[in-house]
Amino acid sequence: MNFPSYLLEPTQQERLAVQQAVETYIQSFLTQLPTLPAFVDSPEKGAGLLESPIEDTPISIEQALGLLQTQVDEPGITSASGGHLGYIPGGGLYYSALGDYLAAVTNKYAGIFFSAPGAVRMENMLLRWMASLIGFPQDAAGNLTSGGSIASLIALATARDAKKITSRIIPDAVVYTTAHAHHCLDKALRIAGLGECPVRHISMDDRYRMVPEALEQAILEDKAAGLIPWLLIASAGTTDVGAIDPLTHLGKIAQKHQLWYHVDAAYGGFFTLAPSGKPRLQGIGEADSVVMDPHKGLFIPYGLGAVLIKNRKQTAETHHYLANYMQDALSATEEASPADLSPELSKHFRGLRLWLPLKLHGVGAFRNALEEKLNLAQYAYEQLTNLPGFEVPVVPELSVVIFRYVPKAGIEANEFNQKLIKAVQQDGRVFLSSTLLDGNFMLRLAILSFRTHQDTIDLALRILQEKATEIEQESRS
Ligand SMILES: *Cc1c(COP(=O)(O)O)cnc(C)c1O
Protein backbone atom coordinates (compact mmCIF):
# COMPACT_ATOMS: atom_id res chain seq x y z
CA MET A 1 0.00 0.00 0.00
CA ASN A 2 1.05 3.54 -0.68
CA PHE A 3 0.55 6.21 1.99
CA PRO A 4 1.24 9.69 0.59
CA SER A 5 2.49 12.09 3.24
CA TYR A 6 -0.35 14.57 2.64
CA LEU A 7 -2.63 12.10 4.40
CA LEU A 8 -1.24 13.63 7.56
CA GLU A 9 -3.12 16.85 6.76
CA PRO A 10 -6.85 16.16 7.09
CA THR A 11 -9.23 18.45 5.16
CA GLN A 12 -11.29 20.99 7.05
CA GLN A 13 -14.30 18.70 6.78
CA GLU A 14 -12.33 15.78 8.20
CA ARG A 15 -10.93 17.93 10.99
CA LEU A 16 -14.35 19.12 12.04
CA ALA A 17 -15.79 15.59 12.01
CA VAL A 18 -13.00 14.21 14.20
CA GLN A 19 -13.14 17.19 16.50
CA GLN A 20 -16.90 16.81 16.85
CA ALA A 21 -16.44 13.19 17.87
CA VAL A 22 -13.81 14.16 20.45
CA GLU A 23 -15.94 16.99 21.81
CA THR A 24 -19.00 14.73 22.09
CA TYR A 25 -16.89 12.23 24.05
CA ILE A 26 -15.54 14.94 26.35
CA GLN A 27 -18.94 16.51 27.00
CA SER A 28 -20.36 13.12 27.90
CA PHE A 29 -17.35 12.45 30.18
CA LEU A 30 -17.84 15.75 31.98
CA THR A 31 -21.60 15.25 32.32
CA GLN A 32 -21.13 11.79 33.79
CA LEU A 33 -18.14 12.73 35.95
CA PRO A 34 -20.09 13.50 39.16
CA THR A 35 -21.50 9.95 39.16
CA LEU A 36 -18.44 8.10 37.89
CA PRO A 37 -16.51 6.03 40.45
CA ALA A 38 -13.38 7.75 41.76
CA PHE A 39 -11.50 4.46 41.55
CA VAL A 40 -11.92 1.36 39.38
CA ASP A 41 -9.83 -1.69 40.23
CA SER A 42 -10.32 -3.45 36.88
CA PRO A 43 -8.75 -6.90 36.51
CA GLU A 44 -7.69 -6.08 32.95
CA LYS A 45 -5.95 -2.80 33.82
CA GLY A 46 -6.07 -1.42 30.28
CA ALA A 47 -4.46 -4.45 28.65
CA GLY A 48 -7.12 -4.40 25.90
CA LEU A 49 -5.13 -1.54 24.40
CA LEU A 50 -2.44 -4.01 23.34
CA GLU A 51 -4.94 -5.86 21.17
CA SER A 52 -4.86 -2.91 18.80
CA PRO A 53 -1.15 -2.81 17.87
CA ILE A 54 0.66 0.15 16.36
CA GLU A 55 0.53 -0.65 12.65
CA ASP A 56 0.22 0.82 9.13
CA THR A 57 -3.56 0.53 8.88
CA PRO A 58 -5.48 3.40 10.47
CA ILE A 59 -8.50 3.07 12.78
CA SER A 60 -11.45 5.45 13.01
CA ILE A 61 -11.86 8.12 15.69
CA GLU A 62 -14.83 6.14 17.06
CA GLN A 63 -12.62 3.08 17.50
CA ALA A 64 -9.88 5.19 19.05
CA LEU A 65 -12.28 6.82 21.52
CA GLY A 66 -13.75 3.42 22.37
CA LEU A 67 -10.28 2.16 23.30
CA LEU A 68 -9.56 5.31 25.25
CA GLN A 69 -12.76 5.03 27.26
CA THR A 70 -12.55 1.37 28.23
CA GLN A 71 -8.77 0.90 28.44
CA VAL A 72 -7.49 4.29 29.61
CA ASP A 73 -10.14 6.51 31.14
CA GLU A 74 -12.05 3.90 33.14
CA PRO A 75 -9.42 1.80 34.98
CA GLY A 76 -7.53 3.22 37.96
CA ILE A 77 -8.12 6.56 39.65
CA THR A 78 -10.54 8.99 38.01
CA SER A 79 -8.16 11.87 38.63
CA ALA A 80 -10.59 14.45 37.27
CA SER A 81 -13.20 13.44 39.85
CA GLY A 82 -13.97 15.53 42.92
CA GLY A 83 -14.01 12.20 44.76
CA HIS A 84 -10.25 11.90 44.28
CA LEU A 85 -9.03 12.53 47.80
CA GLY A 86 -5.84 10.47 47.68
CA TYR A 87 -2.15 11.45 47.47
CA ILE A 88 -2.26 15.11 46.38
CA PRO A 89 -5.11 15.28 43.86
CA GLY A 90 -4.64 17.04 40.55
CA GLY A 91 -7.14 19.21 38.79
CA GLY A 92 -8.01 19.28 35.11
CA LEU A 93 -9.50 22.68 34.28
CA TYR A 94 -11.33 22.60 30.98
CA TYR A 95 -9.95 25.92 29.74
CA SER A 96 -6.49 24.55 30.39
CA ALA A 97 -7.25 21.70 27.98
CA LEU A 98 -8.25 24.29 25.40
CA GLY A 99 -4.97 26.09 26.06
CA ASP A 100 -3.13 22.83 25.32
CA TYR A 101 -5.14 22.44 22.14
CA LEU A 102 -4.24 25.93 20.96
CA ALA A 103 -0.59 25.43 21.92
CA ALA A 104 -0.40 22.12 20.07
CA VAL A 105 -2.02 23.34 16.84
CA THR A 106 0.04 26.52 16.56
CA ASN A 107 3.02 24.56 17.92
CA LYS A 108 5.01 27.62 18.95
CA TYR A 109 8.58 26.73 19.94
CA ALA A 110 8.49 28.13 23.45
CA GLY A 111 12.07 27.31 24.48
CA ILE A 112 13.68 30.34 22.87
CA PHE A 113 12.66 34.02 22.88
CA PHE A 114 13.79 34.53 19.28
CA SER A 115 11.53 31.75 18.09
CA ALA A 116 8.38 32.59 20.02
CA PRO A 117 8.73 35.98 21.73
CA GLY A 118 5.06 36.13 22.71
CA ALA A 119 5.04 32.61 24.12
CA VAL A 120 8.20 33.25 26.14
CA ARG A 121 6.85 36.58 27.38
CA MET A 122 3.68 34.78 28.47
CA GLU A 123 5.62 32.13 30.42
CA ASN A 124 7.89 34.71 32.03
CA MET A 125 4.91 36.90 32.88
CA LEU A 126 3.27 33.96 34.67
CA LEU A 127 6.51 33.29 36.55
CA ARG A 128 6.76 36.95 37.59
CA TRP A 129 3.19 36.71 38.86
CA MET A 130 4.16 33.64 40.92
CA ALA A 131 7.26 35.48 42.17
CA SER A 132 5.06 38.31 43.38
CA LEU A 133 2.80 35.82 45.20
CA ILE A 134 5.68 34.57 47.32
CA GLY A 135 7.47 37.88 47.76
CA PHE A 136 10.33 37.15 45.35
CA PRO A 137 11.84 40.03 43.35
CA GLN A 138 10.56 40.58 39.79
CA ASP A 139 13.98 39.73 38.38
CA ALA A 140 13.98 36.27 39.97
CA ALA A 141 14.55 33.44 37.52
CA GLY A 142 11.85 30.91 36.90
CA ASN A 143 10.87 28.02 34.72
CA LEU A 144 7.66 26.20 33.94
CA THR A 145 8.49 22.52 34.16
CA SER A 146 6.60 19.28 33.69
CA GLY A 147 6.11 19.05 37.46
CA GLY A 148 7.58 19.52 40.90
CA SER A 149 10.20 16.81 40.53
CA ILE A 150 11.97 18.41 37.57
CA ALA A 151 11.51 21.83 39.16
CA SER A 152 13.28 20.50 42.28
CA LEU A 153 16.10 19.11 40.16
CA ILE A 154 16.66 22.55 38.59
CA ALA A 155 16.66 24.16 42.04
CA LEU A 156 19.10 21.71 43.61
CA ALA A 157 21.47 21.67 40.61
CA THR A 158 21.54 25.47 40.85
CA ALA A 159 22.13 25.29 44.61
CA ARG A 160 25.00 22.85 44.07
CA ASP A 161 26.81 25.18 41.67
CA ALA A 162 26.05 28.35 43.62
CA LYS A 163 27.52 26.78 46.77
CA LYS A 164 30.41 25.26 44.77
CA ILE A 165 29.72 21.72 45.93
CA THR A 166 32.22 19.90 43.75
CA SER A 167 32.90 16.18 43.73
CA ARG A 168 35.83 16.44 46.15
CA ILE A 169 33.72 17.81 49.00
CA ILE A 170 30.41 16.04 48.42
CA PRO A 171 30.94 13.40 51.16
CA ASP A 172 31.38 16.25 53.68
CA ALA A 173 28.66 18.55 52.35
CA VAL A 174 25.65 18.19 54.64
CA VAL A 175 21.97 18.56 53.73
CA TYR A 176 19.26 19.32 56.33
CA THR A 177 15.60 18.41 56.00
CA THR A 178 12.97 16.32 57.79
CA ALA A 179 11.85 12.75 57.32
CA HIS A 180 8.64 14.17 55.81
CA ALA A 181 10.35 15.96 52.91
CA HIS A 182 9.11 14.68 49.55
CA HIS A 183 11.08 11.77 48.08
CA CYS A 184 11.60 13.70 44.81
CA LEU A 185 14.20 15.76 46.67
CA ASP A 186 16.27 12.66 47.49
CA LYS A 187 15.89 11.70 43.88
CA ALA A 188 16.96 15.17 42.69
CA LEU A 189 20.02 15.08 44.96
CA ARG A 190 21.04 11.73 43.52
CA ILE A 191 20.47 12.74 39.89
CA ALA A 192 22.41 15.96 40.49
CA GLY A 193 25.39 13.89 41.62
CA LEU A 194 24.82 14.72 45.28
CA GLY A 195 23.74 11.27 46.43
CA GLU A 196 26.76 10.97 48.72
CA CYS A 197 25.96 14.12 50.69
CA PRO A 198 25.14 13.26 54.30
CA VAL A 199 21.45 14.03 54.93
CA ARG A 200 20.29 15.01 58.44
CA HIS A 201 16.64 14.39 59.22
CA ILE A 202 15.94 17.11 61.77
CA SER A 203 13.35 16.30 64.43
CA MET A 204 9.78 17.53 64.08
CA ASP A 205 7.32 18.94 66.62
CA ASP A 206 3.94 17.39 67.43
CA ARG A 207 2.50 18.88 64.22
CA TYR A 208 5.30 17.44 62.08
CA ARG A 209 7.15 20.70 61.51
CA MET A 210 10.92 21.02 61.63
CA VAL A 211 12.24 22.15 65.02
CA PRO A 212 14.55 25.14 64.30
CA GLU A 213 16.59 24.68 67.50
CA ALA A 214 17.34 21.08 66.51
CA LEU A 215 18.40 22.30 63.07
CA GLU A 216 20.79 24.86 64.47
CA GLN A 217 22.27 22.35 66.87
CA ALA A 218 22.87 19.86 64.05
CA ILE A 219 24.56 22.55 61.95
CA LEU A 220 26.85 23.52 64.82
CA GLU A 221 27.75 19.89 65.53
CA ASP A 222 28.56 19.27 61.88
CA LYS A 223 30.68 22.42 61.66
CA ALA A 224 32.55 21.38 64.80
CA ALA A 225 33.20 17.99 63.18
CA GLY A 226 34.76 19.74 60.17
CA LEU A 227 31.84 19.10 57.83
CA ILE A 228 30.30 21.61 55.41
CA PRO A 229 26.62 22.43 56.00
CA TRP A 230 25.31 23.79 52.67
CA LEU A 231 21.65 23.05 51.98
CA LEU A 232 18.43 23.38 53.95
CA ILE A 233 15.27 21.87 52.44
CA ALA A 234 12.05 23.00 54.11
CA SER A 235 8.48 21.99 53.24
CA ALA A 236 5.56 24.35 52.75
CA GLY A 237 2.92 21.64 52.83
CA THR A 238 4.19 18.09 53.35
CA THR A 239 2.53 15.29 51.43
CA ASP A 240 1.96 13.18 54.54
CA VAL A 241 0.11 15.69 56.71
CA GLY A 242 0.24 19.07 54.93
CA ALA A 243 2.62 20.56 57.52
CA ILE A 244 4.42 23.85 56.93
CA ASP A 245 7.87 24.15 58.46
CA PRO A 246 8.54 27.43 60.37
CA LEU A 247 9.71 29.20 57.23
CA THR A 248 10.78 32.56 58.69
CA HIS A 249 12.78 31.07 61.53
CA LEU A 250 14.44 28.51 59.23
CA GLY A 251 15.29 31.30 56.79
CA LYS A 252 17.18 33.17 59.52
CA ILE A 253 19.18 30.06 60.39
CA ALA A 254 19.96 29.38 56.73
CA GLN A 255 21.17 32.95 56.32
CA LYS A 256 23.24 32.92 59.49
CA HIS A 257 25.05 29.75 58.43
CA GLN A 258 25.05 30.59 54.71
CA LEU A 259 23.06 27.57 53.61
CA TRP A 260 21.12 27.49 50.36
CA TYR A 261 17.49 27.64 51.48
CA HIS A 262 15.10 25.61 49.34
CA VAL A 263 11.37 25.55 50.08
CA ASP A 264 9.30 22.75 48.59
CA ALA A 265 5.89 24.34 48.13
CA ALA A 266 4.84 21.99 45.32
CA TYR A 267 1.61 21.20 47.13
CA GLY A 268 1.17 24.18 49.46
CA GLY A 269 2.55 27.18 47.59
CA PHE A 270 -0.58 28.47 45.88
CA PHE A 271 -2.51 28.58 49.16
CA THR A 272 -0.82 31.95 49.50
CA LEU A 273 -3.62 33.15 47.19
CA ALA A 274 -6.25 32.24 49.78
CA PRO A 275 -6.85 34.89 52.46
CA SER A 276 -6.46 32.41 55.30
CA GLY A 277 -3.60 30.55 53.61
CA LYS A 278 -1.34 33.57 53.07
CA PRO A 279 -0.32 34.11 56.70
CA ARG A 280 0.49 30.43 57.08
CA LEU A 281 3.07 30.67 54.29
CA GLN A 282 4.76 33.72 55.72
CA GLY A 283 8.53 33.58 55.32
CA ILE A 284 8.49 31.67 52.04
CA GLY A 285 10.04 34.73 50.37
CA GLU A 286 13.21 34.22 52.44
CA ALA A 287 14.07 31.16 50.33
CA ASP A 288 16.74 31.03 47.66
CA SER A 289 14.57 28.68 45.59
CA VAL A 290 10.93 27.64 45.71
CA VAL A 291 9.03 24.93 43.85
CA MET A 292 5.27 25.20 43.37
CA ASP A 293 3.00 23.06 41.22
CA PRO A 294 0.19 24.66 39.20
CA HIS A 295 -0.98 21.11 38.48
CA LYS A 296 -1.80 20.86 42.18
CA GLY A 297 -2.71 24.23 43.69
CA LEU A 298 -4.02 25.86 40.51
CA PHE A 299 -6.01 22.81 39.33
CA ILE A 300 -4.20 22.65 35.97
CA PRO A 301 -4.07 19.19 34.31
CA TYR A 302 -0.94 17.14 35.07
CA GLY A 303 2.24 18.38 33.47
CA LEU A 304 2.87 21.79 35.04
CA GLY A 305 5.30 22.60 37.83
CA ALA A 306 7.30 25.73 38.46
CA VAL A 307 10.62 26.66 40.00
CA LEU A 308 11.59 30.14 41.12
CA ILE A 309 15.17 31.08 41.96
CA LYS A 310 15.83 34.39 43.61
CA ASN A 311 19.20 35.06 42.02
CA ARG A 312 18.74 34.83 38.25
CA LYS A 313 22.46 34.61 37.52
CA GLN A 314 22.88 31.43 39.55
CA THR A 315 20.40 29.34 37.64
CA ALA A 316 21.61 30.67 34.28
CA GLU A 317 25.14 29.61 35.21
CA THR A 318 23.97 26.05 35.78
CA HIS A 319 21.75 25.76 32.71
CA HIS A 320 22.99 28.07 29.93
CA TYR A 321 24.57 26.63 26.83
CA LEU A 322 26.06 27.67 23.53
CA ALA A 323 25.84 25.89 20.22
CA ASN A 324 26.89 27.10 16.80
CA TYR A 325 23.58 26.15 15.21
CA MET A 326 21.77 28.38 17.70
CA GLN A 327 23.66 31.56 16.78
CA ASP A 328 20.68 33.31 15.14
CA ALA A 329 18.83 33.19 18.45
CA LEU A 330 21.54 34.93 20.48
CA SER A 331 20.64 38.47 19.41
CA ALA A 332 17.15 38.45 20.93
CA THR A 333 17.64 38.99 24.64
CA GLU A 334 14.75 41.13 25.95
CA GLU A 335 13.37 38.15 27.84
CA ALA A 336 15.22 35.16 29.26
CA SER A 337 14.71 32.00 27.23
CA PRO A 338 13.41 28.96 29.12
CA ALA A 339 16.11 26.86 27.43
CA ASP A 340 18.76 28.85 29.33
CA LEU A 341 17.15 28.14 32.69
CA SER A 342 16.35 24.43 32.54
CA PRO A 343 17.68 21.14 31.14
CA GLU A 344 15.11 21.31 28.30
CA LEU A 345 15.66 22.69 24.82
CA SER A 346 12.54 21.78 22.82
CA LYS A 347 9.56 21.91 25.12
CA HIS A 348 5.81 22.03 25.31
CA PHE A 349 4.42 25.57 25.35
CA ARG A 350 3.21 25.15 28.92
CA GLY A 351 2.33 28.75 29.58
CA LEU A 352 -0.88 28.69 27.57
CA ARG A 353 -2.47 25.94 29.68
CA LEU A 354 -2.07 28.23 32.70
CA TRP A 355 -2.62 31.63 31.11
CA LEU A 356 -5.95 30.79 29.46
CA PRO A 357 -7.77 29.58 32.61
CA LEU A 358 -6.26 32.41 34.71
CA LYS A 359 -7.48 34.96 32.17
CA LEU A 360 -10.89 33.39 31.50
CA HIS A 361 -11.77 32.71 35.15
CA GLY A 362 -9.83 35.56 36.75
CA VAL A 363 -7.58 35.02 39.77
CA GLY A 364 -10.47 35.59 42.20
CA ALA A 365 -12.05 32.28 41.22
CA PHE A 366 -8.83 30.47 42.21
CA ARG A 367 -8.59 32.40 45.47
CA ASN A 368 -12.12 31.34 46.41
CA ALA A 369 -11.60 27.73 45.40
CA LEU A 370 -8.43 27.49 47.51
CA GLU A 371 -10.15 29.09 50.49
CA GLU A 372 -12.94 26.52 50.08
CA LYS A 373 -10.36 23.67 50.26
CA LEU A 374 -8.94 25.03 53.53
CA ASN A 375 -12.46 25.32 54.97
CA LEU A 376 -13.35 21.81 53.82
CA ALA A 377 -10.27 20.42 55.58
CA GLN A 378 -11.31 22.12 58.84
CA TYR A 379 -14.83 20.77 58.34
CA ALA A 380 -13.56 17.23 57.72
CA TYR A 381 -11.27 17.52 60.75
CA GLU A 382 -14.14 18.58 63.02
CA GLN A 383 -16.51 15.92 61.70
CA LEU A 384 -13.92 13.14 62.04
CA THR A 385 -13.02 14.26 65.55
CA ASN A 386 -16.65 13.76 66.53
CA LEU A 387 -17.10 10.38 64.84
CA PRO A 388 -16.95 7.55 67.35
CA GLY A 389 -13.84 5.39 66.94
CA PHE A 390 -11.92 7.82 64.74
CA GLU A 391 -8.73 9.48 65.91
CA VAL A 392 -7.33 12.65 64.30
CA PRO A 393 -3.82 13.35 65.59
CA VAL A 394 -3.21 16.82 64.06
CA VAL A 395 -5.24 19.87 63.13
CA PRO A 396 -4.76 20.30 59.38
CA GLU A 397 -2.51 23.21 58.52
CA LEU A 398 -3.58 23.11 54.88
CA SER A 399 -5.96 20.68 53.17
CA VAL A 400 -4.67 17.23 54.17
CA VAL A 401 -6.52 15.55 57.03
CA ILE A 402 -4.82 12.54 58.55
CA PHE A 403 -6.69 10.08 60.76
CA ARG A 404 -7.24 6.46 61.68
CA TYR A 405 -9.83 4.25 63.29
CA VAL A 406 -9.01 2.82 66.70
CA PRO A 407 -10.86 -0.51 66.98
CA LYS A 408 -12.34 -1.50 70.31
CA ALA A 409 -10.88 -4.99 70.61
CA GLY A 410 -10.09 -8.19 68.76
CA ILE A 411 -8.02 -6.62 66.02
CA GLU A 412 -4.86 -4.58 65.94
CA ALA A 413 -5.19 -0.95 64.78
CA ASN A 414 -2.77 -1.14 61.83
CA GLU A 415 -4.46 -4.24 60.49
CA PHE A 416 -7.87 -2.64 60.93
CA ASN A 417 -6.89 0.50 59.03
CA GLN A 418 -5.31 -1.50 56.22
CA LYS A 419 -8.65 -3.28 55.85
CA LEU A 420 -10.46 0.03 56.03
CA ILE A 421 -8.48 1.70 53.23
CA LYS A 422 -8.88 -1.39 51.09
CA ALA A 423 -12.65 -1.44 51.64
CA VAL A 424 -12.95 2.26 50.79
CA GLN A 425 -10.88 1.79 47.62
CA GLN A 426 -12.88 -1.28 46.56
CA ASP A 427 -16.10 0.68 47.07
CA GLY A 428 -14.68 3.29 44.68
CA ARG A 429 -17.16 6.12 45.21
CA VAL A 430 -14.28 8.15 46.64
CA PHE A 431 -10.54 7.46 46.55
CA LEU A 432 -8.41 7.80 49.68
CA SER A 433 -4.77 6.84 50.21
CA SER A 434 -2.78 5.98 53.32
CA THR A 435 0.59 6.59 54.96
CA LEU A 436 2.61 5.61 58.00
CA LEU A 437 2.98 8.07 60.86
CA ASP A 438 5.31 7.04 63.69
CA GLY A 439 4.67 3.41 62.77
CA ASN A 440 0.90 3.85 62.72
CA PHE A 441 -1.07 3.06 59.57
CA MET A 442 -2.99 6.27 58.82
CA LEU A 443 -5.63 7.28 56.30
CA ARG A 444 -5.58 10.65 54.56
CA LEU A 445 -8.21 12.94 53.09
CA ALA A 446 -6.31 15.17 50.67
CA ILE A 447 -8.66 17.91 49.51
CA LEU A 448 -7.40 19.79 46.47
CA SER A 449 -9.62 19.06 43.48
CA PHE A 450 -11.62 22.11 42.38
CA ARG A 451 -14.51 19.65 42.03
CA THR A 452 -14.44 18.58 45.71
CA HIS A 453 -17.18 20.24 47.76
CA GLN A 454 -18.88 19.58 51.08
CA ASP A 455 -21.12 16.85 49.65
CA THR A 456 -17.99 14.93 48.61
CA ILE A 457 -16.59 15.15 52.15
CA ASP A 458 -19.93 14.07 53.64
CA LEU A 459 -20.00 11.09 51.27
CA ALA A 460 -16.43 10.12 52.21
CA LEU A 461 -17.28 10.31 55.92
CA ARG A 462 -20.40 8.16 55.42
CA ILE A 463 -18.40 5.54 53.52
CA LEU A 464 -15.70 5.51 56.22
CA GLN A 465 -18.27 4.95 58.98
CA GLU A 466 -20.06 2.31 56.94
CA LYS A 467 -16.87 0.35 56.23
CA ALA A 468 -15.50 0.74 59.76
CA THR A 469 -18.72 -0.68 61.20
CA GLU A 470 -18.56 -3.63 58.81
CA ILE A 471 -14.95 -4.42 59.72
CA GLU A 472 -15.72 -4.08 63.45
CA GLN A 473 -18.52 -6.58 63.06
CA GLU A 474 -16.42 -9.00 61.00
CA SER A 475 -13.55 -8.94 63.45
CA ARG A 476 -15.86 -9.52 66.41
CA SER A 477 -17.64 -12.52 64.89
C1 LIG B 1 3.75 16.41 44.39
C2 LIG B 1 4.85 16.87 45.21
C3 LIG B 1 6.16 16.88 44.72
C4 LIG B 1 6.54 16.33 43.38
O1 LIG B 1 5.95 17.03 42.35
P1 LIG B 1 5.51 16.33 40.97
O2 LIG B 1 4.78 17.43 40.30
O3 LIG B 1 4.64 15.16 41.33
O4 LIG B 1 6.73 15.92 40.26
C5 LIG B 1 7.14 17.42 45.54
N1 LIG B 1 6.85 17.86 46.77
C6 LIG B 1 5.61 17.86 47.28
C7 LIG B 1 5.36 18.36 48.66
C8 LIG B 1 4.57 17.35 46.52
O5 LIG B 1 3.33 17.33 47.02
Side-chain angles (χ1 to χ4, degrees):
M1 259 192 288
N2 184 21
F3 292 98
S5 59
Y6 60 75
L7 285 182
L8 292 178
E9 186 75 280
T11 63
Q12 185 178 14
Q13 207 182 359
E14 286 165 337
R15 289 199 297 268
L16 289 173
V18 170
Q19 202 201 29
Q20 188 57 55
V22 169
E23 198 50 40
T24 303
Y25 177 78
I26 284 301
Q27 293 309 330
S28 138
F29 174 82
L30 288 175
T31 311
Q32 289 172 41
L33 191 54
T35 56
L36 289 180
F39 181 64
V40 176
D41 185 12
S42 86
E44 215 195 353
K45 296 190 169 60
L49 203 56
L50 310 178
E51 282 155 31
S52 177
I54 307 299
E55 57 191 357
D56 271 17
T57 327
I59 63 172
S60 69
I61 184 65
E62 287 74 22
Q63 286 170 306
L65 290 171
L67 282 169
L68 206 57
Q69 177 171 9
T70 58
Q71 306 305 318
V72 179
D73 291 341
E74 282 172 8
I77 301 173
T78 310
S79 326
S81 162
H84 179 14
L85 303 164
Y87 310 110
I88 301 291
L93 292 176
Y94 184 74
Y95 294 155
S96 195
L98 295 183
D100 270 347
Y101 176 62
L102 291 165
V105 174
T106 59
N107 199 25
K108 293 303 283 190
Y109 189 89
I112 308 277
F113 181 67
F114 171 79
S115 153
V120 171
R121 272 191 210 284
M122 182 186 286
E123 297 207 357
N124 289 347
M125 175 184 171
L126 290 163
L127 288 158
R128 284 193 292 269
W129 171 68
M130 288 181 210
S132 70
L133 293 183
I134 60 165
F136 262 29
Q138 287 296 289
D139 65 352
N143 193 257
L144 293 180
T145 63
S146 58
S149 301
I150 299 298
S152 302
L153 179 62
I154 293 174
L156 297 194
T158 302
R160 176 199 61 203
D161 296 349
K163 291 292 174 191
K164 303 198 166 40
I165 306 301
T166 56
S167 54
R168 275 184 302 110
I169 64 167
I170 283 172
D172 291 336
V174 191
V175 179
Y176 303 85
T177 187
T178 70
H180 278 193
H182 196 274
H183 75 271
C184 81
L185 290 152
D186 292 317
K187 205 165 153 182
L189 284 173
R190 205 170 65 217
I191 297 171
L194 300 163
E196 291 165 68
C197 289
V199 176
R200 306 275 183 253
H201 285 162
I202 304 303
S203 55
M204 296 178 280
D205 66 12
D206 58 358
R207 293 180 71 183
Y208 301 94
R209 299 172 297 197
M210 190 187 293
V211 177
E213 293 75 18
L215 169 69
E216 184 140 40
Q217 195 190 338
I219 294 171
L220 292 174
E221 278 169 17
D222 284 331
K223 278 189 171 169
L227 300 176
I228 309 160
W230 74 281
L231 172 63
L232 169 60
I233 299 175
S235 303
T238 57
T239 313
D240 280 304
V241 306
I244 303 174
D245 289 327
L247 301 175
T248 307
H249 197 160
L250 296 184
K252 291 207 174 90
I253 296 174
Q255 198 178 29
K256 181 169 159 200
H257 296 282
Q258 299 189 334
L259 309 189
W260 183 276
Y261 184 27
H262 177 73
V263 175
D264 179 7
Y267 153 56
F270 286 106
F271 279 106
T272 186
L273 277 170
S276 64
K278 194 176 169 67
R280 300 179 209 182
L281 288 153
Q282 207 176 9
I284 192 170
E286 303 304 316
D288 293 299
S289 53
V290 172
V291 161
M292 47 213 280
D293 268 359
H295 67 196
K296 289 176 178 163
L298 291 178
F299 322 116
I300 302 301
Y302 290 121
L304 195 62
V307 60
L308 294 162
I309 290 159
K310 197 177 265 165
N311 183 333
R312 161 174 302 278
K313 229 177 95 229
Q314 289 170 329
T315 195
E317 272 165 15
T318 298
H319 295 98
H320 80 284
Y321 66 94
L322 277 175
N324 293 338
Y325 53 80
M326 296 296 301
Q327 62 190 1
D328 307 326
L330 292 178
S331 55
T333 53
E334 287 105 306
E335 287 272 346
S337 291
D340 285 329
L341 300 169
S342 91
E344 292 181 304
L345 177 55
S346 305
K347 60 172 280 204
H348 178 56
F349 173 18
R350 300 188 180 104
L352 198 41
R353 68 206 316 267
L354 177 56
W355 182 82
L356 196 63
L358 279 175
K359 296 301 284 178
L360 296 187
H361 291 298
V363 177
F366 291 83
R367 210 184 292 287
N368 292 345
L370 286 161
E371 189 69 25
E372 183 201 18
K373 303 310 138 193
L374 294 173
N375 291 336
L376 286 176
Q378 288 303 319
Y379 172 77
Y381 169 77
E382 282 154 26
Q383 296 292 311
L384 274 167
T385 309
N386 292 324
L387 283 186
F390 285 90
E391 179 187 83
V392 201
V394 271
V395 185
E397 218 165 339
L398 291 172
S399 67
V400 174
V401 188
I402 187 147
F403 61 96
R404 67 173 184 161
Y405 189 85
V406 184
K408 288 186 198 77
I411 178 168
E412 196 246 332
N414 279 7
E415 191 189 338
F416 188 98
N417 285 285
Q418 273 171 44
K419 285 191 174 177
L420 182 55
I421 192 74
K422 204 157 182 185
V424 173
Q425 290 180 353
Q426 289 294 320
D427 176 274
R429 279 175 289 170
V430 294
F431 180 80
L432 269 57
S433 63
S434 66
T435 189
L436 282 175
L437 205 58
D438 310 320
N440 292 326
F441 193 98
M442 306 296 293
L443 277 58
R444 298 164 66 258
L445 274 171
I447 304 164
L448 199 59
S449 165
F450 67 99
R451 294 190 174 110
T452 301
H453 306 294
Q454 192 182 320
D455 55 349
T456 329
I457 304 302
D458 288 332
L459 174 64
L461 297 172
R462 271 203 309 280
I463 296 171
L464 281 163
Q465 275 176 287
E466 196 180 296
K467 301 297 169 195
T469 310
E470 280 173 26
I471 302 169
E472 276 274 17
Q473 278 162 2
E474 265 168 41
S475 47
R476 242 181 269 145
S477 55

